[in-house]
């Protein structure tokens, strides 16, 4: 019998464990619908704030062999406009996780409520963007802030609350524990690693913002370690992100403790078809290794 690659993250069910990571392929419903049709199990939207925001000047992206460095600066059209994009996604019955950011717990809760009323199946709290002042890892790098924000969102909405963690910290599991204690339904690990590239020709940093977030193959082993550590300390589900390009990469994250994965940089590089490929490879891997379900494979690396 073919293995089943259906999975669930808490009470949310997905046809397969590969979700579009936040911020990839713009912020339109039509690009996310294309990704779903190409085989993703669900989509996480771009991070949306209360007001429209332009983001940084170019250059905002630096692609290299082992991944990508980017600092877009959280450009987004604002929640009022974006509610319409969520409605379009839900019109196509696509499992949709609305990513939101803010510098303030009460505003986070307000954004989450608006995502919920537009039909999002869950919200992902961006507590981890590594380079925008006053939001992301600047606040999400402290356990007490994580607790306050997650609690305020959980008190306000009834959809699941996923907390996306920063790797730019000495103890990521401490942050995850704070999110779990505050009522989060899942932990997403990891966001990008704070980094910099230098142009020797221009004799200056490549990105206009100087520092950005590193993603892709370069961070896979950081992500795996984070997922492993978090799933040892927390009992809520973990969603793995960072350098997933193949079925085997996804299997590594699942064995480390993730019940789903998010794919970002590989989509920017190879297009939405990467979802179909990763799922085919994962299914083949499971068949060869005699796993009949994702559930059976989650966390097996902890039993060694
Ligand atoms: C960006 O918009 O620059 C990236 C967002 C993030 O890292 O969360």
């Amino acid at each position: 019998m073919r293995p089943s690659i259906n999975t669930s993250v808490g009470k949310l069910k997905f046809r397969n464990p590969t979700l579009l990571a936040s911020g990839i392929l713009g912020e339109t419903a039509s690009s996310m619908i294309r990704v779903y049709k190409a085989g993703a199990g669900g989509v996480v939207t771009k991070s949306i704030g209360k007001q429209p925001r332009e983001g940084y000047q170019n250059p905002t992206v630096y692609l290299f062999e082992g991944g990508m460095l980017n600092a877009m600066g959280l450009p987004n059209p604002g929640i009022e406009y974006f509610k319409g994009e969520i409605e379009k996604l839900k019109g196509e019955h696509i499992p949709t996780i609305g990513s939101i950011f803010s510098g303030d717990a009460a505003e986070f809760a307000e954004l989450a409520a608006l995502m919920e009323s537009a039909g999002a199946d869950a919200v992902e709290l961006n507590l981890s963007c590594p380079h925008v002042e006053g939001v992301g890892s600047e606040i999400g790098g402290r356990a007490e802030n994580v607790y306050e924000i997650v609690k305020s969102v959980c008190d306000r909405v009834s959809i699941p609350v996923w907390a996306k963690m920063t790797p730019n910290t000495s103890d990521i599991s401490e942050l995850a524990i704070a999110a779990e204690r505050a009522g989060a339904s899942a932990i997403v690990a990891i966001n990008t690693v704070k980094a910099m590239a230098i142009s020797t020709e221009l004799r200056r940093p490549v990105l206009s913002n100087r520092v950005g977030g590193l993603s892709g193959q370069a961070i896979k082993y950081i992500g795996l370690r984070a997922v492993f550590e978090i799933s040892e300390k927390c009992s809520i589900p973990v969603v793995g992100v960072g350098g997933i390009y193949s079925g085997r990469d996804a299997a590594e994250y699942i064995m480390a403790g993730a019940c789903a994965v998010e794919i970002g940089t590989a989509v920017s590089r190879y297009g939405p078809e990467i979802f179909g490929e990763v799922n085919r490879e994962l299914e083949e891997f499971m068949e060869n290794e005699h796993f009949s379900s994702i559930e059976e494979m989650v966390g097996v690396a902890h039993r060694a």
Side-chain angles (χ1 to χ4, degrees):
M1 215 168 77
R2 304 282 293 168
S4 158
I5 60 167
N6 296 343
T7 193
S8 44
V9 178
K11 66 177 192 189
L12 282 188
K13 296 194 183 325
F14 298 96
R15 63 183 180 181
N16 67 59
T18 60
L19 314 179
L20 176 71
S22 176
I24 306 296
L25 301 182
E27 68 242 7
T28 63
S30 63
S31 63
M32 289 183 272
I33 292 169
R34 217 173 100 226
V35 162
Y36 186 72
K37 288 191 172 153
V43 298
V44 184
T45 70
K46 173 134 202 78
S47 290
I48 303 297
K50 190 153 183 211
Q51 304 298 342
R53 190 183 146 92
E54 289 221 334
Y56 302 138
Q57 305 268 306
N58 282 327
T60 52
V61 178
Y62 172 64
L63 274 172
F64 61 98
E65 202 42 55
M68 183 166 89
L69 180 66
N70 89 89
M72 313 293 289
L74 294 167
N76 78 94
I79 190 73
E80 276 312 319
Y81 172 88
F82 200 73
K83 281 191 308 184
E85 301 302 285
I86 299 280
E87 282 156 9
K88 286 184 205 157
L89 289 165
K90 290 317 296 173
E92 300 283 329
H93 308 291
I94 298 177
T96 301
I97 292 90
S99 171
I100 51 178
F101 74 92
S102 175
D104 172 80
E107 191 176 280
F108 252 116
E110 193 186 328
L111 290 166
L114 291 166
M115 280 287 185
E116 180 174 39
S117 68
D121 298 288
V123 279
E124 182 179 278
L125 311 184
N126 183 341
L127 298 166
S128 41
C129 170
H131 50 70
V132 175
E133 214 181 316
V135 299
S137 60
E138 261 193 27
I139 51 169
R142 294 171 73 100
E144 59 271 31
N145 295 342
V146 170
Y147 181 87
E148 188 197 349
I149 292 164
V150 174
K151 172 104 181 51
S152 138
V153 174
C154 290
D155 286 348
R156 185 74 179 267
V157 297
S158 25
I159 52 175
V161 175
W162 297 7
K164 188 168 185 182
M165 303 280 101
T166 177
N168 302 301
T169 177
S170 59
D171 186 1
I172 194 167
S173 47
E174 191 196 4
L175 302 176
I177 291 166
E180 178 173 38
R181 274 185 36 240
S185 305
I187 302 296
V188 181
I190 53 176
N191 204 326
T192 53
V193 176
K194 193 172 185 176
M196 178 185 276
I198 298 288
S199 162
T200 48
E201 290 75 25
L202 300 176
R203 303 180 187 189
R204 48 151 293 158
V206 172
L207 300 178
S208 73
N209 186 57
R210 300 180 176 194
V211 297
L214 189 67
S215 60
Q217 288 106 329
I219 68 163
K220 185 177 96 174
Y221 297 103
I222 301 174
L224 283 167
R225 186 264 304 157
V227 167
F228 192 95
E229 283 180 6
I230 292 167
S231 43
E232 275 197 328
K233 303 264 174 68
C234 294
S235 47
I236 53 176
V238 183
V239 177
V241 203
I244 297 157
Y245 290 69
S246 67
R248 193 169 283 265
D249 292 332
E252 288 175 36
Y253 268 95
I254 294 165
M255 289 184 175
C259 48
V261 295
E262 293 180 7
I263 305 184
T265 305
V267 185
S268 315
R269 187 131 206 153
Y270 299 109
E273 287 63 40
I274 191 82
F275 286 99
E277 276 164 43
V278 169
N279 286 318
R280 261 190 304 281
E281 286 169 15
L282 180 62
E283 208 176 327
E284 198 178 299
F285 171 84
M286 288 168 67
E287 192 165 18
N288 292 340
E289 296 294 321
H290 310 292
F291 286 108
S292 61
S293 67
I294 297 288
E295 200 183 346
E296 210 178 289
M297 194 166 43
V298 173
V300 293
H302 292 260
R303 291 176 217 144

